[in-house]
């Protein structure tokens, strides 16, 4: 690697040392000022650190952020999914498990009797959304994908499951 | 007899407890200060009943952890020396503080009490002796661990500390020549004088180059970044690689105690020790003729406070340096020591002697 | 023998050949829906239009006979435009419900659209709605919306199965496929209409929604359903066990073999794969102790079988041990059985023939009355001049006790009836059952060793005409089960004989050397269509 030739002042080092100390102490004092202002309640907007204290503080995500899956529904509330297995096929993580069943309406014909996404395995690539020919799966801005236990079973609490025509996430009904 | 013994023991305990507590606080400061410098927040999780105190309890949690950990001695190592090493290190780092004055002589209960554990007329030599003996801790730890990395760390540590101690000695000579004493109390008292009636005659004013060189050599003595080659966390781990539990804790404590010692020495030798500019025994005498008289106790308290503040500031400064500069390579360290810092300190000494000779 | 040129390649073909047949020989692809080599020519789909020089209009390749000096082009702009136009017409009323259609992935509408269509839809009208998901027989379901009226299925039921169940009704855009009044598509060859349907109009009820076709792996094999030895391809789902309720073998498809089954297979063979992933499969070795079966490791079980065999031979000699092999086993399995029991142990009581009390019936097309795939091979390998006949043993009335019976997969209870089978088995001190599925006979035995099914092993079957055909391994053996030749080899090793076969090919090599009917055969020469064994009776006539 060709590095730049150092100038005389740089080679003296001591000047650069003071420059560096100036930089770091400037950061120290400006951050301390912000921290103090925040602690004393004078300024709650400016932050002294770029890091977030995760469980208590949440970083605001862009509205374009796409994370957790959602299954869309027909007008009557049944899932749009027809169990074509396109998302399952496209999924590079092999985390989608669909079992198809016969729908009573012959013009719908096929529907998923099981639709599980193992979020512990999912890589959030969005291929499933791209692959879907029915616009039946979308991704939402919801970033709360938390579980204290990971299990081998994809229908665990870290999975989206769809039972009896309802999209279920941790037992909470998702409405499209 | 009993009274003077009580006073002496009181002073010893005051300094010992003060230094150890400051060292503990420094471990917290190190983490928090580096975090603030790097736009982070730093350790803040340890809490007692949900009360977090900005992470101060981390120190407590760390020490509990240290005590609770398994005390491991390498099976092929020398058990006796392995156990001795951290105590040697910590002991010689701590006894240096005996010669540091933290206040003037006060008259109390009809006695003259020097605010210093012991006013040695060879105080500075005593501190250097203690610092030199501290090297044994490092060497013993490296050797007794029966680990190549530890041994390499120990060797690096000893050669680095020997090299920079020579510089420290040569740098100090300038100060000693100007203040014509080896007693630290005398040196501090001499720094209370004013040059041309305005500027305080602090070491840094009469020996600016010496002050800088002393700081450099002092940081090298503490074995901390950018001179942390004996430790080198990212390469050899260093002389304490085989240490765990509170023995390792002692080494870490020694690091911080040495930092405080260097901060105290810089304060004492170059920044007037407990002196406050224009403050004499009966109050402030500003150059414009303005005076503010104070009682003797108030003056004394102010001076102690001044000493503590200065020491604390230099601790902060040393941490700032530690979190700003990258580590030297070993050859760079030796070249800096022998080809730059040491010759400059000799030149500084020559210039000082020349000026003193001309002024006589 | 006219010579013609198709796309600058020339070929000489017999008189009466059509252009599409000549093109197939040259591996030139001409799209087609209604043409099928096994059926009469309808010429109704118009997908196979080609340009013939000196004929102004495009000609259907399926229905135009070749003539001397004919020059055919299949990839000109004119042809492409015509094919694309035909596809557009065919898709006018097609529902485009590929996501729910089982044919997706092996559908010729999809295939040819991607190859020759690729146009923007210009269809403004509403599509005509028709019947969907109409069950027309025990195995087939009809979707009239997806049908393109190629009439392959109609010709099949008229020309191949001669059962005449399906016809095309109504006219114009109302035309649709349907059952003839009072009929149900219920004949032993009904599954073939699913294979020949180029679109998703006729789909399989058993396979419906079980698994997507692109998850399937294909393995060449031979149907074990009867002695015809129809060539099949095993479609197995190895990657995604949550489909098809965990069954690994999902369906069987016929494979073309001009000497055996052409394009067809009977329904009995097509749906006869279910025992492979049935809950009754034996995956672990078991031993009966105090009336209860306990699970053993395979090595323990082999060790116990070896110990019982040794004891029997020492106590009562060779005549106290009987081996009943099975014509369901491959030639290699049978040869290792003959070699170990017959040659090394010197037993003479080895047979596979059991008088079936409920004989099956064959038909005049493919299905044979003998429901075993390898009777001919078993006869050639196991039967020799000493003339042991199991039937005599079975009909015996005296009460002499035997020591050991080793039974390879034959369900005696089913073939002989329960009383006879129980009476027969009670003559033995110890019964070892080596098989793939549990049945009443295995329940009466003392030691059960798991064996692999034909889909889990490789080897060869010999059909009734003496054609040796190869089966390949489609899926891994279930649990502890092993191919029968491996089980027998292990048993032989337990008794101190050096059996170290690595694969079926090695055994077949030895088989070809040692058994006269198999002489001059080699495993790698069997190929896709099989080879015939030497007929010893004809040899003697010479």
């Amino acid at each position: 690697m060709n590095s730049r030739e150092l100038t005389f002042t740089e080679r003296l080092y001591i000047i650069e040392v003071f420059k560096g100390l100036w930089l770091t102490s400037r950061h120290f004092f400006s951050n301390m000022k912000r921290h103090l202002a925040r602690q004393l309640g004078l300024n709650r907007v400016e932050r002294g650190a770029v890091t977030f204290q995760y469980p208590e503080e949440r970083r605001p995500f862009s509205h374009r952020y796409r994370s957790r899956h959602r299954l869309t529904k027909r007008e009557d509330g049944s899932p749009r999914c027809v169990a074509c297995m396109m998302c399952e096929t496209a999924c590079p993580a092999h985390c989608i498990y669909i079992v198809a069943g016969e729908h009573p309406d012959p013009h719908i014909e096929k529907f998923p009797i099981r639709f599980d996404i193992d979020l512990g395995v999912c890589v959030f690539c969005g291929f499933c959304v791209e692959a879907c020919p029915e616009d039946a799966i979308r991704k939402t801005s919801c970033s709360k994908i938390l579980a204290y236990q990971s299990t081998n079973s994809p229908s665990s609490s870290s999975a989206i499951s769809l039972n009896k025509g309802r999209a279920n996430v941790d037992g909470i009904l998702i409405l499209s | 007899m009993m009274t003077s013994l009580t006073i002496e023991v009181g002073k010893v305990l005051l300094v010992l407890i003060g230094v150890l507590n400051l060292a503990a606080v420094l471990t917290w400061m190190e983490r928090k200060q580096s975090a603030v410098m790097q736009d982070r927040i730093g350790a803040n999780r340890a809490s007692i009943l949900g009360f977090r105190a900005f992470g101060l309890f981390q120190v407590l949690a760390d020490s509990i952890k240290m005590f609770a950990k398994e005390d491991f001695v390498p099976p092929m190592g020398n058990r006796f020396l392995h156990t001795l090493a951290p105590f040697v290190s910590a002991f010689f780092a701590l006894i240096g503080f005996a010669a540091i004055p933290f206040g003037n002589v006060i008259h109390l209960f009809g006695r003259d009490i020097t605010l210093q554990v012991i006013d040695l007329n060879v105080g500075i030599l005593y501190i250097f002796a203690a610092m030199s003996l501290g090297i044994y801790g490092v060497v013993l730890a490296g050797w007794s661990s029966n680990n190549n990395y530890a041994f390499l760390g120990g060797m690096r540590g000893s050669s680095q500390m020997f090299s920079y101690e020579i510089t420290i000695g040569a740098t100090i000579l300038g100060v000693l020549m100007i203040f014509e004493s080896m007693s630290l109390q005398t040196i501090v008292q001499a720094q209370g004088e004013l040059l041309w009636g305005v500027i305080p005659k602090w070491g840094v004013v009469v020996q600016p180059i010496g002050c800088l060189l002393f700081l450099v050599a002092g940081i090298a003595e503490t074995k901390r970044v950018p001179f942390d080659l004996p430790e080198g966390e990212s390469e050899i781990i260093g002389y304490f690689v085989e240490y765990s539990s509170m023995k390792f804790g002692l080494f870490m404590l020694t690091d911080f105690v040495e930092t405080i010692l260097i901060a105290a020495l810089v304060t004492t030798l170059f920044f007037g020790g407990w002196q406050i500019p224009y403050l004499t025994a009966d109050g402030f005498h500003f150059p414009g003729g303005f005076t503010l008289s104070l009682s003797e106790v108030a003056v004394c308290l102010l001076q102690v406070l001044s000493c503590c503040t200065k020491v604390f500031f230099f601790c902060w400064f040393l941490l700032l340096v530690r979190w700003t500069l990258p580590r030297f390579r070993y050859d760079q360290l030796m070249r800096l020591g022998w080809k730059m810092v040491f010759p400059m300190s000799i030149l500084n000494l020559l210039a000082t002697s020349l000026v003193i000779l001309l002024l006589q | 023998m006219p010579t013609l040129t198709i796309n600058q390649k020339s070929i000489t073909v017999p008189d009466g050949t059509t252009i599409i047949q000549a093109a197939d020989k040259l591996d030139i692809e001409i799209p087609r829906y209604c043409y099928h080599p096994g059926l009469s020519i309808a010429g109704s789909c118009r997908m196979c239009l080609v340009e013939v020089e000196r004929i102004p209009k495009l000609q259907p390749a399926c229905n135009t006979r070749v003539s001397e000096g004919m020059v055919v082009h299949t990839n000109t702009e004119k042809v492409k435009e015509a094919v694309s136009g035909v596809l557009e017409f065919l898709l006018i009323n097609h529902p485009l419900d590929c996501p729910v259609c089982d044919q997706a992935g092996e559908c010729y509408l999809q295939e040819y659209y991607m190859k020759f269509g690729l146009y923007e839809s210009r269809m403004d009208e509403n599509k005509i709605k028709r019947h969907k998901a109409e069950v027309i027989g025990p195995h087939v379901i009809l979707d009239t919306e997806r049908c393109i009226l190629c009439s392959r299925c109609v010709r099949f039921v008229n020309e191949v199965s001669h059962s005449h169940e399906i016809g095309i009704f109504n006219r114009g855009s109302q035309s649709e496929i349907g059952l003839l009044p009072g009929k149900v598509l219920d004949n032993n060859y009904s599954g073939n209409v699913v294979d020949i349907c180029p679109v998703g109009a006729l789909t399989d009820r058993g396979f419906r929604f079980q698994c997507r076709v692109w998850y399937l792996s294909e393995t060449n094999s031979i149907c074990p359903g009867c002695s015809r030895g129809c060539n099949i391809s095993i479609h197995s789902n190895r990657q995604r066990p949550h489909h098809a309720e965990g069954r690994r073998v999902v369906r069987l498809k016929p494979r073309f073999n001009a000497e055996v089954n052409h394009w067809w297979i009977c329904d009995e063979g097509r749906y006869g794969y279910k025992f492979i992933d049935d809950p009754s499969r034996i995956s672990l070795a078991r031993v009966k102790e105090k009336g209860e079966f306990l699970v053993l490791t395979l090595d323990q079980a082999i060790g116990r079988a070896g110990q019982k065999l040794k004891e029997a031979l020492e106590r009562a000699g060779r005549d106290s041990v009987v081996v009943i092999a099975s014509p369901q086993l491959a030639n290699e399995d049978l040869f290792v059985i003959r070699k170990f029991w017959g040659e090394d142990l010197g037993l003479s009581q080895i047979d596979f023939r059991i008088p079936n009390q409920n004989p099956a019936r064959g038909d005049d097309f493919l299905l044979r009355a003998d429901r075993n795939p390898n009777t001919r091979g078993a006869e050639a390998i196991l039967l020799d001049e000493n003339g042991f006949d199991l039937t005599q043993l079975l009909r015996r009335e005296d009460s002499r006790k035997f020591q050991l019976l080793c039974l390879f997969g034959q369900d005696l209870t089913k073939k002989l009836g329960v009383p006879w089978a129980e009476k027969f088995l009670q003559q033995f001190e110890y019964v070892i059952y080596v098989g793939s599925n549990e049945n009443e006979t295995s329940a009466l035995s003392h030691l059960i060793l798991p064996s692999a099914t034909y889909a889990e092993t490789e080897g060869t079957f010999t059909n009734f005409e003496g054609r040796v055909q190869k089966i390949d391994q489609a899926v891994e053996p279930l649990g502890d089960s092993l191919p029968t030749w491996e089980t027998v080899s292990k048993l032989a090793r337990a008794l101190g004989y050096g059996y170290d076969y690595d694969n079926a090919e090695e055994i077949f090599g030895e088989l070809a050397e040692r058994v006269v009917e198999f002489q001059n055969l080699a495993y790698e020469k069997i190929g896709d269509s099989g080879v015939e064994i030497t007929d010893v009776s004809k040899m003697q006539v010479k």
Side-chain angles (χ1 to χ4, degrees):
Chain A
M1 206 181 90
N2 291 322
S3 52
R4 186 175 57 89
E5 187 98 343
L6 296 179
T7 61
F8 177 71
T9 51
E10 282 169 342
R11 255 183 297 149
L12 273 182
Y13 197 64
I14 191 77
I15 296 163
E16 295 297 312
V17 167
F18 281 110
K19 275 190 189 170
L21 290 175
W22 169 243
L23 181 82
T24 47
S25 52
R26 211 175 55 207
H27 264 260
F28 177 80
F29 286 115
S30 59
N31 286 336
M32 270 316 271
K33 196 185 79 193
R34 293 201 193 109
H35 276 305
L36 279 174
R38 205 176 166 78
Q39 286 295 331
L40 299 173
L42 302 174
N43 185 344
R44 292 231 171 254
V45 183
E46 287 193 322
R47 309 174 60 92
V50 294
T51 50
F52 284 79
Q53 299 301 297
Y54 172 63
E56 296 96 25
E57 286 181 291
R58 294 289 170 94
R59 184 185 292 276
F61 288 107
S62 155
H63 65 281
R64 294 173 56 189
Y65 176 73
R66 290 290 174 266
S67 154
R68 186 168 213 168
H69 311 73
R70 184 187 78 186
L71 294 172
T72 60
K73 298 189 161 188
R74 296 172 199 272
E75 277 169 12
D76 65 356
S78 63
R80 293 186 74 88
C81 176
V82 296
C84 70
M85 318 282 168
M86 283 294 164
C87 51
E88 194 189 281
T89 306
C91 180
H94 287 224
C95 70
I96 305 180
Y97 302 85
I98 307 170
V99 173
E102 184 92 38
H103 197 279
D105 179 358
H107 286 277
I108 296 174
E109 228 181 319
K110 198 179 178 187
F111 84 113
I113 49 178
R114 174 187 170 198
F115 190 114
D116 288 336
I117 298 178
D118 190 342
L119 292 178
V121 177
C122 177
V123 295
F124 300 97
C125 64
F127 282 10
C128 47
V129 182
E130 296 288 319
C132 186
E134 302 281 333
D135 191 20
I137 187 166
R138 292 183 195 167
K139 299 189 104 196
T140 63
S141 316
C142 170
S143 63
K144 291 178 186 167
I145 304 167
L146 302 168
Y148 280 102
Q149 280 174 319
S150 91
T151 58
N152 290 330
S153 159
S155 54
S156 66
S157 64
S158 65
I160 290 186
S161 51
L162 186 146
N163 278 317
K164 295 167 193 159
R166 287 176 173 184
N168 243 319
V169 176
D170 299 352
I172 305 159
L173 189 70
I174 294 192
L175 298 169
S176 53
Chain B
M1 182 59 206
M2 274 312 287
T3 329
S4 62
L5 189 68
T6 314
I7 289 167
E8 291 305 316
V9 170
K11 282 196 290 190
V12 168
L13 285 178
L14 190 70
V15 170
L16 194 65
I17 290 167
V19 167
L20 284 176
N21 275 310
L22 184 57
V25 170
L26 275 188
T27 62
W28 171 79
M29 236 177 88
E30 163 132 51
R31 302 172 77 160
K32 285 307 245 189
Q33 189 186 330
S34 63
V36 174
M37 280 163 65
Q38 295 168 350
D39 302 349
R40 296 185 284 113
I41 286 178
N44 66 349
R45 288 280 138 180
S47 68
I48 294 177
L49 302 173
F51 182 62
R52 284 180 172 171
F54 305 105
L56 251 176
F57 295 136
Q58 195 69 43
V59 182
L60 213 62
D62 278 346
S63 49
I64 291 169
K65 180 196 75 176
M66 289 281 194
F67 278 112
K69 276 198 159 187
E70 185 197 355
D71 178 15
F72 179 78
V73 179
M76 305 298 281
N78 186 318
R79 192 178 185 93
F80 175 69
L81 293 180
H82 188 267
T83 314
L84 185 67
F87 292 99
V88 170
S89 267
F91 177 73
F92 287 114
L94 281 169
I95 59 166
F97 286 96
I100 304 279
F102 55 92
N104 204 348
V105 184
I106 55 165
H107 303 279
L108 223 59
F109 318 118
R111 286 166 181 274
D112 277 354
I113 301 172
T114 319
L115 290 184
Q116 187 181 16
V117 174
I118 179 165
D119 187 7
L120 286 171
N121 54 1
V122 288
I124 190 84
L125 287 184
Y126 164 76
I127 290 178
F128 283 172
M131 278 165 69
S132 304
L133 286 169
I135 298 172
Y136 279 104
V138 173
V139 176
L140 286 180
W143 185 80
S144 66
S145 293
N146 187 35
N147 177 316
N148 287 345
Y149 293 110
F151 187 60
L152 192 57
M155 296 311 290
R156 279 188 187 184
S158 54
S159 57
Q160 172 180 332
M161 286 162 88
F162 283 135
S163 308
Y164 280 87
E165 229 153 57
I166 291 172
T167 310
I168 289 189
T171 320
I172 294 301
L173 279 179
V175 182
L176 300 184
M177 277 155 65
I178 289 170
F179 298 115
E180 296 172 336
S181 170
M182 284 212 262
S183 159
L184 288 168
Q185 186 66 282
T186 317
I187 291 173
V188 173
Q189 278 163 353
Q191 289 184 72
E193 292 171 24
L194 295 177
L195 283 174
W196 307 294
V198 185
I199 308 167
K201 197 188 171 187
W202 282 7
V204 70
V205 179
V206 291
Q207 282 283 303
I209 307 273
C211 174
L212 194 68
L213 294 175
F214 183 82
L215 256 178
V216 172
I219 296 169
E221 275 293 297
T222 62
K223 307 184 290 295
R224 283 163 62 80
V225 180
F227 302 104
D228 69 331
L229 288 132
E231 298 172 17
E233 290 98 336
S234 52
E235 34 163 320
I236 61 165
I237 321 294
Y239 55 91
F240 49 56
V241 65
E242 293 289 1
Y243 279 85
S244 60
S245 172
M246 205 52 211
K247 286 193 209 156
F248 170 76
L250 271 179
F251 276 123
M252 223 173 86
L253 190 75
T254 309
D255 260 17
F256 286 103
V257 170
E258 277 180 348
T259 306
I260 301 169
L261 183 63
I262 295 297
L265 274 177
V266 171
T267 309
T268 312
L269 293 172
F270 297 99
F271 289 86
W274 41 261
Q275 293 282 5
I276 301 175
Y278 316 121
L279 181 68
T280 52
D282 54 349
F284 283 104
H285 293 268
F286 294 106
F290 179 74
T291 54
L292 183 72
S293 53
L294 292 162
S295 73
E296 199 194 332
V297 177
V299 167
C300 186
L301 280 176
L302 271 178
Q303 286 171 336
V304 172
L305 198 67
S306 145
C307 180
C308 292
T309 313
K310 286 174 189 170
V311 170
F312 192 76
F313 170 81
F314 280 105
C315 286
W316 174 86
F317 181 77
L318 291 175
L319 289 184
L320 186 76
V321 171
R322 185 249 176 277
W323 285 98
T324 301
L325 301 179
R327 181 195 303 153
F328 282 99
R329 218 165 52 212
Y330 193 69
D331 61 318
Q332 290 171 335
L333 173 96
M334 279 299 160
R335 195 171 63 214
L336 183 77
W338 287 103
K339 292 188 177 174
M340 307 275 289
V341 181
F342 179 61
M344 272 172 79
S345 61
I346 298 293
L347 284 178
N348 179 47
L349 192 61
L350 273 174
T352 311
S353 357
L354 216 69
V355 169
I356 290 172
L357 199 67
L358 288 175
L359 284 179
Q360 270 174 352
Chain C
M1 295 287 275
T3 302
L4 76 158
T5 313
I6 308 176
N7 295 354
Q8 285 86 45
K9 286 185 199 164
S10 77
I11 185 172
T12 307
V13 289
D15 276 323
T17 310
T18 57
I19 295 175
I20 206 166
Q21 287 167 338
D24 281 352
K25 281 189 181 168
L26 285 171
D27 281 334
I28 291 169
E29 188 183 13
I30 296 175
R32 81 283 303 265
Y33 287 125
C34 68
Y35 172 75
H36 189 281
L39 302 172
S40 66
I41 291 159
S44 65
C45 74
R46 299 280 139 177
M47 277 297 280
C48 62
L49 292 174
V50 292
E51 195 173 352
V52 181
E53 280 185 15
R54 291 196 292 267
I55 299 180
K57 283 184 154 185
L58 298 177
Q59 297 296 309
C62 68
N63 206 10
T64 307
R65 304 211 166 163
V66 299
S67 55
E68 185 60 44
M70 198 181 233
V71 180
V72 180
H73 299 282
T74 70
N75 49 10
T76 61
E77 279 308 307
K78 204 173 164 187
V79 172
K80 281 180 188 163
E81 205 183 321
V83 171
S84 165
V86 169
L87 255 179
E88 191 171 7
F89 275 125
L90 290 175
L91 285 168
I92 279 180
N93 282 320
H94 190 84
L96 292 177
D97 55 351
C98 304
V100 300
C101 178
D102 265 341
Q103 190 84 1
E106 51 183 11
C107 172
Y108 282 92
L109 275 175
Q110 289 181 332
E111 198 132 307
Y112 292 147
Y113 177 80
M114 298 314 287
K115 273 186 184 164
F116 306 105
L118 291 176
Y119 54 82
E120 289 281 315
S121 174
R122 292 182 288 171
M123 180 69 181
D124 290 335
E125 316 293 321
N126 287 331
K127 300 203 172 203
I128 295 175
K129 293 275 179 194
R130 291 184 218 269
H131 304 289
K132 287 185 86 73
E134 193 183 339
V135 174
I136 59 166
H139 300 305
V140 184
I141 192 164
L142 169 68
D143 187 310
T144 47
E145 276 189 351
R146 295 178 194 147
C147 178
I148 58 164
L149 296 170
C150 70
S151 79
R152 274 186 185 184
C153 51
V154 179
R155 281 175 283 149
F156 178 84
V157 295
N158 290 340
E159 298 162 12
V160 181
S161 70
H162 305 291
S163 51
H164 312 282
E165 291 108 341
I166 307 175
I168 298 178
F169 300 89
N170 299 333
R171 302 197 311 175
S173 63
Q174 300 299 319
S175 307
E176 63 179 44
I177 292 274
L179 288 172
L180 264 64
K183 292 250 186 181
V184 177
L185 183 62
D186 185 11
N187 63 66
N188 195 28
Y189 294 89
S190 67
N192 289 298
V193 298
V194 175
D195 299 341
I196 58 174
C197 182
V199 299
L202 295 169
T203 48
D204 194 310
R205 287 176 71 190
F207 183 66
R208 187 170 166 84
F209 304 159
Q210 293 295 302
C211 187
R212 280 311 213 172
V213 298
W214 52 83
Y215 292 155
L216 299 176
S217 330
E218 296 182 14
T219 314
N220 288 351
S221 191
I222 300 298
C223 175
C226 76
S227 59
R228 171 75 58 181
C230 293
N231 289 214
I232 55 164
S233 156
I234 298 175
H235 289 206
S236 52
N237 167 28
R238 297 176 191 163
Q239 313 285 328
R240 301 182 190 248
H242 60 286
H243 286 302
E245 290 140 20
R247 277 180 279 120
R248 297 167 301 161
V249 174
V250 182
R251 65 174 180 182
L252 305 182
K253 284 277 182 188
R255 184 160 55 91
F256 176 75
N257 187 337
E259 307 296 327
V260 183
N261 60 321
H262 295 273
W263 301 268
W264 321 118
I265 185 181
C266 70
D267 287 357
E268 203 175 311
R270 183 189 295 270
Y271 302 109
Y273 60 85
K274 289 180 178 147
F275 72 97
I276 298 167
D277 294 306
D278 197 75
S280 71
R281 270 302 293 278
I282 301 165
S283 61
L284 298 168
R286 270 172 293 175
V287 67
K288 195 188 260 175
E289 264 170 25
K290 293 171 194 150
E292 299 242 340
F293 277 110
L294 304 174
V295 172
L296 292 182
T297 68
L298 192 67
D299 288 334
Q300 283 173 335
I302 295 275
R304 182 163 305 207
Q307 182 200 339
K308 286 284 174 192
L309 179 57
K310 211 184 273 176
E311 278 172 18
L313 290 171
E314 281 166 7
R315 203 182 303 151
R318 290 171 190 164
D319 289 340
S320 68
V321 178
V322 176
V323 177
I324 302 180
S326 166
Q328 292 279 342
L329 296 175
N331 290 321
E332 291 72 16
D333 300 327
L334 294 166
F335 177 71
V336 176
I337 288 172
R338 163 182 144 155
K339 191 177 170 192
F340 173 63
W341 301 93
E343 295 170 12
D344 288 341
L345 297 182
L347 303 184
S348 59
Q349 300 177 119
I350 305 174
D351 200 354
F352 64 92
R353 293 164 297 180
I354 291 171
N356 198 340
Q357 298 304 101
N358 312 299
R361 289 171 60 189
D363 62 19
D364 55 358
F365 186 32
L366 293 177
L367 186 65
R368 305 269 308 167
D370 177 8
R371 292 289 204 271
N372 296 306
N374 203 21
T375 311
R376 182 68 187 272
E379 281 168 358
I381 294 164
L382 290 182
L383 300 189
D384 52 17
E385 55 286 344
N386 71 33
F388 170 74
D389 191 350
L390 186 66
T391 321
Q392 286 168 7
L393 195 71
L394 285 165
R395 294 192 193 284
R396 225 165 43 103
E397 290 298 330
D398 67 52
S399 58
R400 183 168 80 98
K401 277 282 217 181
F402 291 93
Q403 288 295 321
L404 187 89
L405 172 67
C406 190
L407 191 55
F408 287 92
Q410 296 248 48
D411 189 356
L412 295 180
T413 354
K414 199 172 155 196
K415 286 187 173 163
L416 302 173
V418 179
W420 191 358
E422 277 181 357
K423 179 172 161 285
F424 175 69
L425 290 174
Q426 273 160 11
Q427 297 177 19
F428 293 91
E429 284 284 319
Y430 205 74
V431 178
I432 300 172
Y433 182 85
V434 185
S436 61
N437 289 62
E438 284 171 27
N439 49 39
E440 286 177 56
T441 314
S442 72
L444 292 171
S445 61
H446 300 95
L447 180 68
I448 301 177
L449 295 173
S451 71
T453 61
Y454 77 104
E456 297 160 339
T457 177
E458 48 166 13
T460 55
F461 284 147
T462 315
N463 79 348
F464 76 104
E465 293 169 315
R467 178 170 295 275
V468 178
Q469 303 187 100
K470 199 153 68 177
I471 52 172
D472 287 339
Q473 185 184 7
V475 289
E476 289 294 312
L478 194 73
D480 273 353
S481 65
L482 288 176
T484 305
W485 60 261
E486 218 170 322
T487 311
V488 177
S489 302
K490 270 180 179 279
L491 186 59
R493 280 202 294 275
L495 265 77
Y497 294 94
Y499 279 62
D500 52 354
Y501 298 114
D502 286 331
N503 49 38
E505 186 173 355
E506 215 177 303
I507 304 170
F508 192 84
E510 204 176 322
L511 169 70
E513 278 173 28
R514 302 276 301 281
V515 178
V516 67
E517 282 95 332
F518 286 84
Q519 65 187 342
N520 307 326
L521 298 187
Y523 197 76
E524 69 269 16
K525 284 184 190 157
I526 295 171
D528 282 342
S529 55
V531 290
E532 282 188 46
I533 58 172
T534 318
D535 196 327
V536 185
S537 55
K538 279 181 193 163
M539 242 169 58
Q540 283 161 347
V541 170
K542 275 177 196 171

